[in-house]
Amino acid sequence: MKATEAKLLQILGAVSQFIIPIYQRTYSWTLKECHQLWADILRAGASDEIGVHFIGSVVHIDEGLGNLAVQAPKLVIDGQQRLTTVTLLLTALADVLDALPEDQQEPIEEFAPAIIRETYLTRRHQKGDKHFKLLLSDTDRATLMALVDPTAAVLPQEPSIRIQENHQFFLEQLCSTATDLAVVCRGISKLLVVDVALSRDQDNPQLIFESMNSTGRELSQADLIRNYVLMAHPPELQERLYTLHWRPMEMAFGQEAYSGNEFSAFMRDFLTLKTAEVPRLDLVYEVFKQYERQPAVAAAGIEALLADLHATAIRYCRVALGQEPDPQLRTAFHDLRELKVNVVTPLLLELYGDYQAELLSREELLEALRLLEAYVFRRAVCAIPSNSQQKTFATFSRALRREPGHYLPSFKAHLLDLPSYRRFPSDEEFRREIQVRNLYKFNKSCSYWLRRLENHKRKEPIVVADYTIEHILPQNPDLSAPWRQSLGPDWKQIHEEWLHRLGNLTLTGYNPELSDRSFLEKRDHQEGGFRTSPLRLNQGIGQLEQWDSNAIRSRGETLAMRALEVWAAPRLSDEQRQDYKPNKGQAASYTLADHPQLANPQIREVFDALDARIRALDPNVTQEVLKLYIAYKAETNFVDIVPQAKRLRLSLNMPFADLDDPKGLSKNVTGIGRWGNGDVELGVATLDEVPYAIGLIRQSLERQLDENEGTP
């Protein structure tokens, strides 16, 4: 490695050409970074006390140990964002100076338009790609070339958004009457970088790249992965991998999705799909390296890995980015996305892959998608904590029988057999809860469930965007006299209780016209009244004479029955469910009578008190009596009780170091064989000890639920 300080313009003038390798990310600086660079240039250019302004490093590699005198092209390892942005500024500057009178075209020496272009932007006597001092990767290359020299390149049909936007920004700044072009030129001339030349024989570009702490935009996890899988290989293999796999993925995602967080999110979903574990978003790169080094993956080779990644990316674009060509499947994917449960995406990728492999039909896939939608929506309506869904979806496919005729039944059986916090809410639970929930602010998308209710079984669905949400009983707490009379003396309480419930919400295209009017005025309004509304949601309202809590309740019950059809539960016979249970063998059954220590009245009294308090911690806590202990579960065991002769021995399923035990009554049993699960042991012998024990048990339960919450 050879590192020297140098003015950026010196480097641009001396090096024959900088090439951004295919493994580098696309140009990603936004207006925010351009604003900062512009401000720094003006500040440096306006002050005689500022001799230089340091903007970072430019790291490049050559076949030998390069320096500025060597005319071979340089592959840029780090610094492409700075090089590209300054090139855009110089391009805009040359164009602006060209438009000035001839005697004003050189604000300071060596900054005439021709000098800028022929010294820093192009190579006068070269043709084609060699004509340009800076060659970007495919997404950005043609756009920059067309801006630098329109006579040598044509702007592509789909130009680079970032390149065009930032070039336009510099044009606007340079054309401002407040801009002193001499100050700009002096500022540019003061830009300083550390020029780092690497030797392919002596340095490891990948390690150096990872260790760079750039002052520009932070590399995304996807950027790091792209560099990792391409940089380490010979140029010929790099080109093949990029052309066959990586570039098609970039194009499928599109500039905005690829440059944003979408591709990093896809990489996390890909790894979840492959490992059944959900990595933190900021650790995707590290987890990918671990996956790539697994014996089976490493043996298959990098081309097989990228081919798999490519195929999964195309599925992701269909599932998550709205690119599915089949209209009904596209709508089903859209409805799932509206519920904003991204943790389901790995399972969707797997289902779609099996659909492509003809393990399930189109109709079966569509039914599976609607069941997943119902599962997510029902749970949200029933206020079941969503933190368990990440684990549920990541491991879901393990329960499936991947063969024609069995795939969908096994899918349904698994949904129906999910326990406790993971359960599929029953029809009765869902029907009851959807009538009393505040649905107006549900999931930040009230229009979702109204649309689904309205369009269910419609051959010509309405476009919800053409309508607004209407409260039949108005939101205004200062109700008019007709409304107060309709609701009765308890109108304030009724208004507060029933306002945002299912029965009081609908759609209308005439929200301003209806507003806070009385019910009869809303019903009979000439334009948009409920009596003449074409919407199914409004059927029956036009025949009513009064709108009060009874009317809201009645309509809510009717819509709740329709909701059971829209978000239908899986249907399987008991025999089918039994056929698809993971373990068909009959497990031994135990009761409390199998623990003779509980025959002691004193121990039994303590146990009953502890049992009641544990179950009261959460309605989803379940008890399972085993041969050696009694287990209490939410997702899994959080406390186990072993009845003994003179006490109850409790095992808390959590690390000892994480327990807050101010009295110091618990014991660390990490690594010591004990009946029960966990690293914490606690003895309870009297009723007085139960309340404190419950406080420790609660910590174990809450920790389990928090662990399942996962990453954003």
Side-chain angles (χ1 to χ4, degrees):
M1 179 190 298
K2 181 180 179 182
T4 57
E5 286 187 353
K7 295 286 185 68
L8 181 56
L9 291 184
Q10 286 181 293
I11 296 176
L12 289 174
V15 172
S16 62
Q17 189 176 54
F18 280 116
I19 299 175
I20 307 303
I22 55 178
Y23 52 75
Q24 289 280 29
R25 64 173 168 177
T26 56
Y27 179 61
S28 61
W29 270 23
T30 65
L31 292 178
K32 176 183 177 181
E33 288 80 27
C34 292
H35 270 288
Q36 183 61 57
L37 178 63
W38 177 256
D40 291 341
I41 287 173
L42 293 183
R43 183 173 56 85
S47 174
D48 293 334
E49 297 179 358
I50 300 176
V52 295
H53 177 72
F54 179 69
I55 61 170
S57 59
V58 175
V59 184
H60 52 84
I61 191 168
D62 207 321
E63 293 296 330
L65 186 59
N67 54 54
L68 299 185
V70 177
Q71 291 302 303
K74 309 292 183 183
L75 298 180
V76 178
I77 306 300
D78 183 69
Q80 73 142 321
Q81 306 297 324
R82 291 177 285 279
L83 285 173
T84 305
T85 306
V86 172
T87 296
L88 288 172
L89 173 55
L90 289 171
T91 301
L93 178 60
D95 292 341
V96 169
L97 292 175
D98 248 343
L100 295 176
E102 188 173 346
D103 61 344
Q104 299 177 27
Q105 289 185 358
E106 192 170 4
I108 66 173
E109 191 175 353
E110 299 298 315
F111 267 86
I115 296 175
I116 294 173
R117 292 194 178 98
E118 294 177 13
T119 308
Y120 310 123
L121 300 176
T122 63
R123 302 165 70 192
R124 182 177 182 182
H125 300 294
Q126 298 292 336
K127 303 295 184 182
D129 287 355
K130 293 182 179 180
H131 176 63
F132 299 91
K133 284 273 188 169
L134 177 62
L135 284 183
L136 302 182
S137 56
D138 283 359
T139 301
D140 306 313
R141 177 177 297 186
T143 305
L144 181 64
M145 290 166 60
L147 293 175
V148 168
D149 190 349
T151 65
V154 178
L155 195 68
Q157 288 187 339
E158 294 187 15
S160 166
I161 297 172
R162 291 278 184 268
I163 293 290
Q164 277 196 314
E165 188 176 68
N166 293 350
H167 177 259
Q168 183 63 32
F169 165 77
F170 288 126
L171 278 176
E172 291 172 359
Q173 299 304 310
L174 290 165
C175 291
S176 170
T177 56
T179 299
D180 185 337
L181 295 180
V183 169
V184 175
C185 295
R186 281 195 295 271
I188 295 174
S189 70
K190 293 180 180 182
L191 296 180
L192 183 75
V193 298
V194 174
D195 174 54
V196 183
L198 306 180
S199 168
R200 195 176 295 277
D201 297 331
Q202 300 175 31
D203 301 310
N204 185 326
Q206 178 65 31
L207 293 179
I208 293 172
F209 175 82
E210 292 184 16
S211 67
M212 297 299 296
N213 183 23
S214 171
T215 57
R217 288 183 64 81
E218 181 181 355
L219 288 167
S220 70
Q221 298 293 295
D223 292 330
L224 292 168
I225 291 171
R226 169 177 166 155
N227 280 273
Y228 177 76
V229 298
L230 295 176
M231 184 184 288
H233 301 292
E236 297 79 9
L237 180 56
Q238 285 182 15
E239 185 66 37
R240 184 164 74 251
L241 294 175
Y242 179 75
T243 303
L244 291 179
H245 300 301
W246 204 276
R247 178 59 178 160
M249 287 192 289
E250 290 179 352
M251 296 178 69
F253 273 75
Q255 292 182 46
E256 289 297 298
Y258 182 84
S259 300
N261 294 324
E262 196 69 57
F263 198 81
S264 292
F266 157 66
M267 290 303 310
R268 178 173 64 173
D269 289 337
F270 174 81
L271 292 169
T272 302
L273 177 65
K274 297 301 179 181
T275 66
E277 297 289 339
V278 185
R280 273 176 32 191
L281 195 54
D282 60 339
L283 294 179
V284 165
Y285 174 50
E286 293 301 323
V287 175
F288 179 84
K289 288 194 292 185
Q290 295 171 14
Y291 172 71
E292 188 263 347
R293 292 164 184 165
Q294 290 181 5
V297 178
I302 189 63
E303 292 196 63
L305 173 57
L306 279 188
D308 188 20
L309 190 66
H310 182 188
T312 309
I314 299 304
R315 294 204 296 272
Y316 184 91
C317 290
R318 294 185 173 189
V319 166
L321 300 184
Q323 297 180 17
E324 169 58 39
D326 184 293
Q328 284 188 291
L329 290 177
R330 183 170 63 248
T331 299
F333 288 135
H334 169 78
D335 291 341
L336 271 167
R337 289 197 302 274
E338 277 217 82
L339 290 172
K340 301 175 178 64
V341 185
N342 295 331
V343 292
V344 74
T345 305
L347 177 57
L348 300 182
L349 294 174
E350 195 154 15
L351 290 173
Y352 199 90
D354 290 340
Y355 159 63
Q356 290 178 318
E358 299 183 351
L359 296 179
L360 75 165
S361 67
R362 172 189 175 278
E363 289 69 27
E364 289 173 325
L365 173 61
L366 192 59
E367 185 173 354
L369 295 177
R370 289 307 182 188
L371 287 173
L372 286 175
E373 180 193 0
Y375 175 68
V376 172
F377 182 71
R378 284 188 177 213
R379 287 168 54 84
V381 167
C382 296
I384 301 173
S386 62
N387 43 22
S388 67
Q389 289 185 157
Q390 191 170 78
K391 182 180 292 184
T392 298
F393 294 133
T395 60
F396 196 101
S397 63
R398 295 175 181 176
L400 301 180
R401 284 181 59 177
R402 295 181 133 85
E403 48 189 286
H406 293 286
Y407 201 116
L408 187 60
S410 67
F411 184 94
K412 293 179 178 180
H414 186 53
L415 276 178
L416 290 170
D417 289 338
L418 290 169
S420 184
Y421 277 100
R422 302 188 188 192
R423 72 182 183 278
F424 195 114
S426 67
D427 283 355
E428 176 56 31
E429 182 182 10
F430 178 55
R431 187 187 65 80
R432 179 183 68 248
E433 294 298 322
I434 198 172
Q435 294 181 63
V436 298
R437 279 294 304 276
N438 179 341
L439 291 178
Y440 182 58
K441 298 181 180 179
F442 172 78
N443 204 38
K444 300 180 181 179
S445 184
C446 182
S447 60
Y448 157 76
W449 61 264
L450 284 167
R451 172 178 60 80
R452 293 286 284 121
L453 282 172
E454 173 64 31
N455 286 333
H456 183 58
K457 294 184 178 180
R458 267 188 180 269
K459 289 187 177 181
E460 297 180 349
I462 69 159
V463 179
V464 172
D466 296 338
Y467 296 84
T468 56
I469 298 163
E470 165 72 9
H471 288 75
I472 304 173
L473 172 62
Q475 291 193 76
N476 189 345
D478 187 18
L479 292 177
S480 63
W483 274 115
R484 295 183 187 186
Q485 183 179 357
S486 176
L487 298 180
D490 297 327
W491 65 269
K492 283 188 176 181
Q493 180 183 344
I494 293 172
H495 182 266
E496 182 178 341
E497 181 178 353
W498 293 89
L499 178 64
H500 297 313
R501 289 192 181 184
L502 174 66
N504 192 53
L505 298 171
T506 190
L507 292 172
T508 181
Y510 298 88
N511 190 280
E513 289 83 356
L514 301 182
S515 187
D516 293 342
R517 292 175 182 270
S518 69
F519 173 69
L520 294 181
E521 288 178 305
K522 288 188 173 190
R523 185 194 68 181
D524 300 330
H525 196 276
Q526 188 174 1
E527 293 185 0
F530 293 126
R531 191 186 293 278
T532 58
S533 172
L535 300 182
R536 290 180 177 180
L537 281 171
N538 295 330
Q539 289 177 355
I541 301 176
Q543 285 69 53
L544 298 177
E545 296 298 326
Q546 183 169 317
W547 192 256
D548 54 15
S549 59
N550 290 328
I552 296 173
R553 180 187 294 107
S554 177
R555 180 171 178 266
E557 290 173 352
T558 300
L559 292 179
M561 294 304 295
R562 188 188 302 180
L564 293 179
E565 298 180 17
V566 178
W567 297 280
R571 305 299 177 197
L572 279 181
S573 67
D574 292 340
E575 292 77 14
Q576 285 179 304
R577 288 183 65 175
Q578 191 63 35
D579 287 342
Y580 293 104
K581 284 189 179 295
N583 299 312
K584 296 183 180 180
Q586 185 65 36
S589 178
Y590 298 95
T591 68
L592 294 178
D594 293 303
H595 292 271
Q597 298 85 350
L598 294 179
N600 180 330
Q602 181 182 351
I603 295 300
R604 182 56 184 257
E605 183 181 27
V606 175
F607 173 82
D608 287 343
L610 200 56
D611 174 78
R613 295 286 295 274
I614 292 173
R615 291 174 185 264
L617 288 174
D618 191 281
N620 294 292
V621 169
T622 59
Q623 181 203 74
E624 183 179 6
V625 181
L626 303 173
K627 181 179 181 180
L628 301 176
Y629 55 86
I630 299 105
Y632 292 85
K633 303 181 178 184
E635 284 296 307
T636 185
N637 301 41
F638 63 90
V639 62
D640 301 325
I641 298 178
V642 180
Q644 296 180 327
K646 296 183 179 181
R647 69 168 192 166
L648 300 174
R649 181 173 65 78
L650 279 56
S651 293
L652 305 187
N653 194 4
M654 65 181 298
F656 181 79
D658 292 349
L659 183 70
D660 181 14
D661 178 15
K663 293 185 179 180
L665 299 182
S666 59
K667 180 181 178 181
N668 186 356
V669 292
T670 305
I672 301 175
R674 288 285 193 278
W675 295 338
N677 299 272
D679 298 342
V680 179
E681 180 180 301
L682 178 69
V684 180
T686 68
L687 290 174
D688 291 340
E689 295 171 351
V690 169
Y692 185 78
I694 288 296
L696 303 185
I697 293 169
R698 180 182 287 108
Q699 295 179 49
S700 181
L701 171 62
E702 291 175 349
R703 185 179 188 279
Q704 182 181 112
L705 298 180
D706 288 343
E707 278 186 337
N708 286 317
E709 190 166 344
T711 53

